[in-house]
Amino acid sequence: MNKEVILRLTKYRRLLYKLKNLGLEKVFSNNLSDPIGISSALVRKDFSLLDITGQKRGGYEIEDLIEKLDSILGRDKTKNVIIIGCGRIGSALLEYEGFKTENIKILAAFDRDPKIINSNANIPILNTSEIKSFAESNDIEVAIIAVPDIEAKEIFEELKKSGIRGFLNFAPIELRCSSECTGVDCPVKCVIHNVNIGLELEHIFYQLKFREEPHDE
Amino acid sequence: MNKEVILRLTKYRRLLYKLKNLGLEKVFSNNLSDPIGISSALVRKDFSLLDITGQKRGGYEIEDLIEKLDSILGRDKTKNVIIIGCGRIGSALLEYEGFKTENIKILAAFDRDPKIINSNANIPILNTSEIKSFAESNDIEVAIIAVPDIEAKEIFEELKKSGIRGFLNFAPIELRCSSECTGVDCPVKCVIHNVNIGLELEHIFYQLKFREEPHDE
């Protein structure tokens, strides 16, 4: 199953949970395709590949769809992550409401500033030196990096040594695990998502600019 | 010039500024391609399309490259944005260091909670009802949306009416300006980037899972 299919399945499931919470019991492929911005034919194609079939009067049972998607995507398991760096972004993520609905649990955060370390906090904030032992004993696979750009590369190397293979990076620097690693096809099978907020904004400005003044280079 | 080229140009420029700050005066295409994770041939191709040529002994003058990229990408102009929503994420972005180096300036933030409104703050926090007048009188084109998901769609409509056409959305819901709008090819020429932190993390978990257990669906 390729990356695009997986991403669509996660989007279907998010939407299905929201519709279920609103009291709906059935959906049609259009109900799913419109909010996601794809064709209804693609929804039906994805579902038929997964052996999900609609009813003869049309429509899919939401419960059935969720159950099937859960078994494929592994919903049942809580996804444990750690956060490295407790500055503004890291602290905001510590209290981010959106994680709850995703079954994502932040087990601990790490910082090297002794002043903000607090092992008794609701989510403990530990010293960066404890990353390896914590990650190993808690079987952590995924980390959120929210340190300044000059610290990101070093932390990244340390996390890899601690057995972490999935990275969501908010430091404004592009992380790759080696010169062979493209993030998609990586020799040590790591998965890196770089979220560069400044670059995202810059990109929006350029897209607006180039829409207005077409260049022919 | 397509989206991918523009994105690469912004990456070259970011890197060139960092190299310049380290005291370098010249770069080779490899210096730029390796950190970005592309081939050096692609760097040379991009530059030749922009009429940028290297020296006969190899290498490009960093100053020349920056000047050329600035004129193409419009570096000189400060990019003014507003933030809607001053919860955890919005507040973190208000103090995000990464914007300074990008020439991005947050002119104001908006919230509907009277308790956190503060028009005398360093970056004023104003009432949501003032968005339209502020955006129009300050010629704002781009907004960051950091409100809860149930408020996002309404705020989005209000922003469009205020003349905003570029959106960086952190609310965990996918915004599109109409059913015809794909974000890329939009009838009212808006540009929307959706950053869904929960979905990013979920996606990392699935990519790790599907690497270990190949499915043949």
Side-chain angles (χ1 to χ4, degrees):
Chain A
M1 203 168 349
N2 71 30
K3 206 170 153 177
E4 282 68 36
V5 179
I6 297 171
L7 188 57
R8 283 202 301 277
L9 297 186
T10 65
K11 287 183 180 176
Y12 298 147
R13 192 174 60 182
R14 289 169 63 84
L15 188 54
L16 286 165
Y17 270 102
K18 289 184 184 175
L19 295 173
K20 183 187 164 190
N21 287 340
L22 291 173
L24 275 71
E25 293 181 4
K26 277 191 178 190
V27 283
F28 294 81
S29 52
N30 278 334
N31 300 142
L32 298 176
S33 64
D34 288 343
I36 294 172
I38 57 177
S39 74
S40 58
L42 184 54
V43 174
R44 292 191 297 274
K45 191 185 152 207
D46 284 341
F47 286 176
S48 73
L49 281 172
L50 301 173
D51 276 333
I52 299 171
T53 49
Q55 317 259 299
K56 64 180 171 204
R57 287 209 132 196
Y60 301 88
E61 296 282 345
I62 290 183
E63 264 323 323
D64 289 353
L65 280 179
I66 289 179
E67 197 181 306
K68 183 79 184 178
L69 290 170
D70 277 356
S71 79
I72 294 164
L73 298 172
R75 178 67 171 191
D76 32 322
K77 216 173 127 195
T78 299
K79 298 169 190 81
N80 294 329
V81 302
I82 53 174
I83 294 181
I84 321 298
C86 290
R88 301 289 307 185
I89 298 283
S91 310
L93 293 173
L94 266 177
E95 301 190 21
Y96 184 61
E97 290 291 322
F99 290 153
K100 286 175 195 155
T101 56
E102 304 295 333
N103 247 11
I104 288 163
K105 193 173 173 197
I106 297 165
L107 284 197
F110 296 85
D111 203 283
R112 57 181 201 180
D113 181 355
K115 286 195 296 290
I116 63 169
I117 286 169
N118 179 2
S119 56
N120 297 318
N122 206 356
I123 298 172
I125 302 176
L126 309 173
N127 193 299
T128 306
S129 62
E130 297 176 63
I131 291 176
K132 195 168 194 296
S133 63
F134 187 92
E136 284 172 355
S137 54
N138 290 280
D139 211 13
I140 302 288
E141 279 193 312
V142 174
I144 299 174
I145 298 176
V147 299
D149 57 353
I150 48 163
E151 293 170 29
K153 194 90 178 82
E154 192 186 328
I155 282 290
F156 177 56
E157 295 303 328
E158 203 170 316
L159 288 168
K160 279 194 291 179
K161 282 183 203 138
S162 310
I164 309 279
R165 288 170 311 126
F167 305 87
L168 181 57
N169 173 38
F170 285 92
I173 182 173
E174 204 151 321
L175 294 178
R176 290 186 307 137
C177 74
S178 70
S179 57
E180 292 82 47
C181 170
T182 62
V184 179
D185 189 20
C186 162
V188 297
K189 305 282 178 208
C190 76
V191 176
I192 307 168
H193 286 214
N194 291 292
V195 177
N196 189 324
I197 301 167
L199 198 59
E200 290 274 346
L201 273 177
E202 258 199 293
H203 198 188
I204 290 171
F205 275 98
Y206 300 138
Q207 281 181 272
L208 287 175
K209 179 178 154 82
F210 284 105
R211 259 169 206 198
E212 283 157 12
E213 309 160 13
H215 281 236
D216 51 7
E217 282 101 336
Chain B
M1 201 166 352
N2 72 29
K3 208 170 150 175
E4 283 68 36
V5 178
I6 297 171
L7 188 57
R8 284 203 300 279
L9 298 186
T10 64
K11 288 183 179 176
Y12 298 147
R13 191 173 62 181
R14 289 169 63 83
L15 188 55
L16 286 166
Y17 269 102
K18 288 183 183 175
L19 295 173
K20 183 186 163 188
N21 287 341
L22 292 173
L24 275 72
E25 292 180 4
K26 277 191 177 187
V27 282
F28 294 82
S29 51
N30 278 334
N31 300 142
L32 298 177
S33 64
D34 288 343
I36 294 172
I38 56 176
S39 75
S40 58
L42 184 55
V43 174
R44 290 192 298 273
K45 191 184 152 207
D46 284 341
F47 286 176
S48 72
L49 281 173
L50 301 173
D51 276 334
I52 298 172
T53 49
Q55 317 258 298
K56 64 181 171 202
R57 288 207 130 197
Y60 301 89
E61 298 282 345
I62 289 183
E63 261 326 321
D64 289 354
L65 281 178
I66 288 179
E67 197 180 308
K68 183 79 184 177
L69 290 170
D70 277 356
S71 78
I72 294 165
L73 298 172
R75 178 66 171 192
D76 32 323
K77 217 173 127 195
T78 299
K79 298 169 189 77
N80 294 329
V81 302
I82 54 175
I83 294 181
I84 321 298
C86 291
R88 302 289 306 184
I89 297 283
S91 310
L93 293 174
L94 266 176
E95 302 190 21
Y96 184 61
E97 291 291 321
F99 290 154
K100 287 176 194 155
T101 56
E102 303 296 335
N103 248 12
I104 288 163
K105 195 175 171 194
I106 297 164
L107 285 198
F110 296 85
D111 204 282
R112 58 182 200 180
D113 181 355
K115 285 196 295 293
I116 64 168
I117 285 168
N118 178 3
S119 56
N120 296 317
N122 205 356
I123 298 172
I125 301 176
L126 308 173
N127 193 299
T128 306
S129 61
E130 297 177 62
I131 291 175
K132 194 168 194 294
S133 62
F134 187 92
E136 283 173 355
S137 52
N138 290 279
D139 209 14
I140 302 287
E141 280 192 313
V142 174
I144 299 175
I145 298 176
V147 299
D149 58 351
I150 48 162
E151 294 171 28
K153 193 92 178 79
E154 192 186 328
I155 282 290
F156 178 55
E157 295 303 328
E158 202 170 317
L159 288 169
K160 279 196 289 179
K161 283 183 203 138
S162 310
I164 309 279
R165 289 170 312 126
F167 306 87
L168 182 56
N169 174 37
F170 285 92
I173 182 173
E174 204 150 319
L175 295 177
R176 289 187 306 139
C177 73
S178 71
S179 57
E180 291 83 46
C181 171
T182 62
V184 178
D185 190 19
C186 162
V188 296
K189 305 284 179 207
C190 77
V191 177
I192 307 168
H193 287 214
N194 291 292
V195 177
N196 189 323
I197 301 168
L199 198 59
E200 290 273 346
L201 273 177
E202 258 199 291
H203 197 190
I204 290 171
F205 275 97
Y206 300 138
Q207 281 181 274
L208 287 175
K209 179 177 153 83
F210 285 104
R211 260 170 206 197
E212 282 157 13
E213 309 158 13
H215 280 234
D216 51 6
E217 284 101 335

